[in-house]
Every structure is written in C-alpha cells, then in structure tokens.
Amino acid sequence: MDRFIIDGGKSLRGTLRVSGSKNAALPILIATLLTDEPCLIENVPTRLRDIRLTFRVLEAIGKRVEVSGTNVTVVDDKPLKTRAPYELVKQMRASVLVAGPLLARFGWVRVPIPGGCAIGVRPIDIHLKGFEDLGARRTFEAGDIILDSPLRPGTIRFKFPSVGATENLMLAAAALPGMTILRNAAREPEIGDLGRFLTAMGARVTGAGTSTITVRGARHLHGARHAVIADRIEAGTLMLAAAAAQGSLRLLAVEPKHLKALTGKMRCAGAVVREEKDGIFMSMKGRPRPVSIATAPYPGFPTDLQAPWMAWMCLARGRCRVQETVFENRFLHAAELSRMGGRVSLSGKTAAVEGVPQLCGAPVMASDLRAGAALVVAALAARGRTMVQRVYHIDRGYERLEIRLRVLGAKIRRVHR
Ligand code: EPZ
C-alpha cells in the first residue's frame, strides 16, 4: 500500500504534456473485440491500473495485447469467449462494456453485474434497457446477467445520458448492419473519440458528442489505427493543483474546449486562464474568490473534478456551495479535507464550503480516485506535511502523479510499504 508524503506550500510552475484519456481509452480498447483484425491504439496511458485491468479483460476473452510505450496493439489470440470473469469486473466496472460488442457479434453474452462502489450504487439498468430495446432478452444467474437473442438495429431513448450506457450501445450498434439511433445520449468528448474509432473500423457514426447519435453498423468491421484524445480530467486536476499552490502552469496537447466548464469557473475565482494553440496556460496568485458549482453531464461541470474543486475552494475568501448531481455519494473527501482544517458541511447533494486562510498537513486517506486527487491538491497548498494513504486509488487514473508534480516543483514522494 503506497503512500504519498507531501510537504506543502511550494509554488508550482512549469509545463506538462497531458496524458491520453483513461476514460476514452477504455471503451476504445474494448471496441477491438468487434474485429478479428489487429488494431493499433496510440496515446494510451498504459501505466494506469484501470488500463492494465482492461488489458487483462481483453486477454481473458481471447485477445493478445502488446504494449510499447503508449502504443497498444490488440490482436486475436484464440477464439473469443462470450463471458467476462467476475474477478476482473468487480475490480473495474467499465469491464461491463464488453457486453455490447460480444452480444452484437455472437448473439449471447454473460457478464457479472458490477457491484456498487465508493461513489454510488451505479446500476446498469440503462445499459440493459438499451439492449432490450434492440431485441435482447435477459436472465440472471449467480450474480451474472445473461443476454441473448440476435440484436437488430433500432432506436433507443436513454432516460439519463449515461456515459457507459451510450458507449455500450454504440459498441453493439457498430456490429449491427443497419441504422441505430441513440437519443438523449451522453455528449462527453470521450464518446466522440469512440465514435471516431468505430468509424475508422468501418461503422459510420455521426452525431457522437451530441445528444442524438446515429450508428450505421456493419457485420464485418476491420482493424484500425487511432490516437486517443488528451485526458481532460488529468488536465483539470493539474490546473487546480497549480492554482491551489498559487503557481502557473502550461499544459500541452490538451483540447481547451473540453475544459470550458472548469476554466470558466476558474476565471470567476480569479485565475488567469489562456487558451493557446496546443494547450492551456493558467496562473493564480492569492486565495480564490468563492465560486459555487453544480456537477452535470457534459458540457456541465464534470463530476470527476468536483472533489479537486472543493479542495481549492477550502481556501476561498468566503463561502460557496458544491453540488453533486451525478453520483449520490461522491463527498467522501469532505471529511478528509476537514482533517486538514477545511470547513465543509454536508447536506444531501450539497456541500457548503467556508474558506479558510490556510490548510494544514495531516495524515489522510484516499477513498476513491478523484477524492484522492483532491487530497493531493489540498496537501500541495497546505502548511506542513500531509501523508496521503491508499494511493492505489490515485494510480487508477493518474500516471505517476508524483513525478509529474515534482517537475512543477512540488515536494512529494511515494513511500512503498
Ligand atoms: C463514466 O462512468 C466515467 N467512467 C466516470 O469516471 C465518470 O465519473 C462518469 O462517466 C460521469 O461522467 C468511465 O468513463 C470509465 P454514467 P459511468 O453511466 O459510465 C447512473 C473517474 O473518476 N446510472 O454516466 O459509470 C449512475 O449510477 C470515473 O474516472 C444509472 O442509474 O457513468 C450515476 O449516478 C468514475 N443506471 C450516473 O448515472 C445506469 O445504467 C452517471 O453514470 C448507468 C448509470
């Protein structure tokens, strides 16, 4: 169980290249199940725990994964199985995305129902309703869901723009000859990236990134080469870390328009943010003005940046509100921030944050990926030493975060135990 030891109060300054997006790479890697030809995926954050787990899921199903730096080649190894092992699905719920491609290709799939996790119950009813709308029948057995009967293209209207359900149904629709229309679809940039990959494989996807997506699928998809988009959540977290530590940061290879909800709010709080040709420049002096946020599906304020935002607002010159509308239990960082002197009180979906002039170091514990990132943001700004425990959560979504922050001048080290 690794820990971070952080001596806070050092201003962060410098330039970083943003990694490939974890949440875009995951469904794209899974999309390789749609073809028996080789695929080359570039700009994959291959050191991340969730990406490594995705390789294991693909291998358990029958693919071979070859990694060279950030390039990943996925090739057929043995005949594909149409079930995903519980051991892997329970560690990473996104594994449930294998249902779409396998069901559409082979007419039958068995996947364990992923349990809840630290941030919420996270059911998969919207995925399942989508498959049923395309003709699937479902049965349950020993904690698994079994989907069968050949799918046919059709029209689906999601009751909520779930990212995972939109991806799962796009993956299925790509292998169904004919036209499938997804309405009230998620609009996240990661969906647009999946659409581009499926199109490169021979499906025709239009509207990915809008609320109506049309997929014209094909029975035989071919291999493709694709470079994954930059990780907007990693970029946002680094910007908030540099702002909390009152520094300046130039991020390269990031798409500024993917971060508009964050950068708009950061400007309101007093940061200077400039969109550049190939990235973003941000600088911040002093404590932020208090700025309330409410999370929402894209293009709203990302739930994945709610926790790091709260950490920054703990230092605001006044009081603001942080509302979480996407997940029902994504405030576990609040109690840990309080251990560092933050003043946060919770009432249902809303946290009231009363800024303090200074946070102070303390031993704290990451409860999930973004909550862990929030503690690092707070620790970089705090007076004294913070020990962040359960760094494995952070390793799911940030590649060697401590090394990247050290480049900016942070005093942070990883301790193995
Ligand atoms: C994706 O999760 C991301 N994960 C999450 O990133 C991100 O927080 C989330 O989208 C929202 O942006 C990946 O891309 C791998 P949803 P996903 O389906 O697909 C409810 C991170 O830190 N819901 O849009 O699981 C659900 O419970 C993570 O990197 C249903 O009720 O998100 C939640 O409250 C964590 N039924 C809300 O919708 C369903 O069938 C949003 O979930 C599906 C979802």
Side-chain angles (χ1 to χ4, degrees), residues 22-24 26-27 50 93-94 97 119-128 159-165 167 186 188 190 232-233 297-298 302-304 325-328 330 368-370 397:
K22 161 179 89 80
N23 288 347
L26 280 172
D50 278 14
R93 7 176 349 99
L97 294 181
I119 61 177
V121 182
R122 304 184 75 183
I124 56 163
D125 56 314
I126 303 175
H127 304 231
L128 299 179
K159 67 172 184 188
F160 176 86
S162 153
V163 173
E167 291 167 346
E188 271 69 2
E190 293 76 19
R232 63 194 168 99
I233 306 300
Y298 191 84
T303 170
D304 293 344
T325 73
V326 178
F327 289 103
E328 68 268 25
R330 214 175 192 180
D368 67 78
L369 166 56
R370 310 301 172 187

